[in-house]
Amino acid sequence: MSEKAVKQQNALWENIKVIVQALVLAMIIRTVLFQPFTIPSGSMMPTLLVGDYIFVNKFAYGYSKYSLPFSPDLFNGRIFGSEPKRGDVVVFRFPPNPDVDYIKRVIGLPGDRIQVKNDILYINGQAVPREPHGTFSSDYSQEPGDNIPVYSERLPDTGKIFDTLDLSPNSRGDNTQEYVVPADHYFMMGDNRDNSDDSRFDVGYVPAENLIGRASVIFFSLGHDTSFREIWKWPTNMRWDRIFKVVE
């Protein structure tokens, strides 16, 4: 083999090694550190919008089998675990079907009593203060519409303040039973209170094992039902003001 051929072969192998190393590094980052997630519905409006692309901090709460690709049954519970705080926005596996990812806000911690009465959220018998905070209009064609009333809520313990939508004062989730959150479980609600399948309904209590991670930052955002593949629409439909916005 000529010297030139040897150099070409070595260059090829060096390129292959770089590609393999990059793929391994990307897999490690996605598995252990951060996972991208796309907002598929309006259940977390106005905090998160359809078309937002976010990074999920996977080491925030430690790791379970659901933190790994294909969810191998290697161990039970969580390792290096840390408790989520009330008010965190969390990606988790849907308890009735763990193949599906959901994103909601942590409202109830283990042992809490949660109830909604006459449109007001109660935690351990105390009403969560809320104040009118203007209106919200969506660029998403399917929901929720224009000039939807917005209310700011302040959670106990953490004092976290965030906005919620109130489409109707008489929806099916505006008057509920009292829920007592079991040990090692959490009660989740969407910020779009009248249009969210959450712990009041089919989601139920979410086991700690099902937590994937905490939503951390929006790294990309497309409005007006724009598909990621529609690159030619990016300049006009990009939500520039949401890029690198911290999720709170």
Side-chain angles (χ1 to χ4, degrees):
M1 183 179 296
S2 68
E3 183 178 350
K4 182 178 180 181
V6 170
K7 288 182 178 180
Q8 289 177 338
Q9 187 178 56
N10 290 340
L12 176 62
W13 278 112
E14 286 300 318
N15 289 335
I16 291 174
K17 284 165 58 178
V18 169
I19 293 172
V20 170
Q21 289 170 354
L23 290 174
V24 170
L25 179 61
M27 183 175 295
I28 291 173
I29 291 173
R30 189 186 186 283
T31 301
V32 179
L33 301 177
F34 293 97
Q35 176 178 326
F37 184 82
T38 307
I39 304 304
S41 75
S43 71
M44 281 298 295
M45 290 179 178
T47 305
L48 293 171
L49 310 181
V50 175
D52 282 348
Y53 294 77
I54 67 173
F55 282 127
V56 177
N57 181 339
K58 298 186 73 171
F59 58 86
Y61 310 132
Y63 304 95
S64 74
K65 65 181 181 181
Y66 296 120
S67 304
L68 306 175
F70 311 111
S71 306
D73 199 10
L74 300 178
F75 56 91
N76 295 321
R78 306 191 72 81
I79 58 174
F80 312 116
S82 179
E83 298 294 325
K85 295 179 180 179
R86 195 192 313 278
D88 284 358
V89 178
V90 174
V91 173
F92 59 92
R93 294 296 178 91
F94 180 46
N97 180 7
D99 292 331
V100 178
D101 290 339
Y102 268 44
I103 184 167
K104 306 291 178 186
R105 191 179 296 275
V106 177
I107 296 298
L109 305 176
D112 281 344
R113 294 177 289 111
I114 306 295
Q115 187 172 19
V116 181
K117 295 188 292 185
N118 297 322
D119 221 15
I120 302 296
L121 173 64
Y122 286 77
I123 299 177
N124 296 323
Q126 298 295 316
V128 172
R130 73 171 193 168
E131 297 180 356
H133 194 206
T135 60
F136 171 80
S137 296
S138 172
D139 63 19
Y140 180 49
S141 63
Q142 298 186 37
E143 59 174 314
D146 296 326
N147 300 317
I148 305 301
V150 176
Y151 291 88
S152 287
E153 293 187 353
R154 181 189 294 271
L155 292 175
D157 305 336
T158 62
K160 193 178 189 74
I161 299 174
F162 58 93
D163 286 342
T164 63
L165 297 185
D166 189 8
L167 282 71
S168 167
N170 298 302
S171 73
R172 65 182 185 130
D174 286 336
N175 284 280
T176 71
Q177 68 184 72
E178 183 177 74
Y179 303 92
V180 180
V181 186
D184 298 320
H185 288 71
Y186 298 92
F187 193 93
M188 308 289 191
M189 292 179 68
D191 292 348
N192 187 354
R193 290 289 169 75
D194 296 324
N195 197 2
S196 173
D197 183 14
D198 50 40
S199 291
R200 294 170 292 175
F201 309 115
D202 293 343
V203 171
Y205 305 115
V206 177
E209 184 179 51
N210 287 45
L211 304 184
I212 299 297
R214 184 181 66 236
S216 59
V217 66
I218 300 167
F219 68 87
F220 194 75
S221 185
L222 291 171
H224 301 284
D225 302 7
T226 304
S227 167
F228 187 83
R229 295 186 296 272
E230 297 175 313
I231 299 176
W232 61 92
K233 294 184 179 180
W234 286 11
T236 55
N237 293 330
M238 185 81 70
R239 301 188 186 109
W240 297 102
D241 60 328
R242 296 184 65 77
I243 295 177
F244 301 125
K245 181 178 181 180
V246 175
V247 179
E248 296 180 326

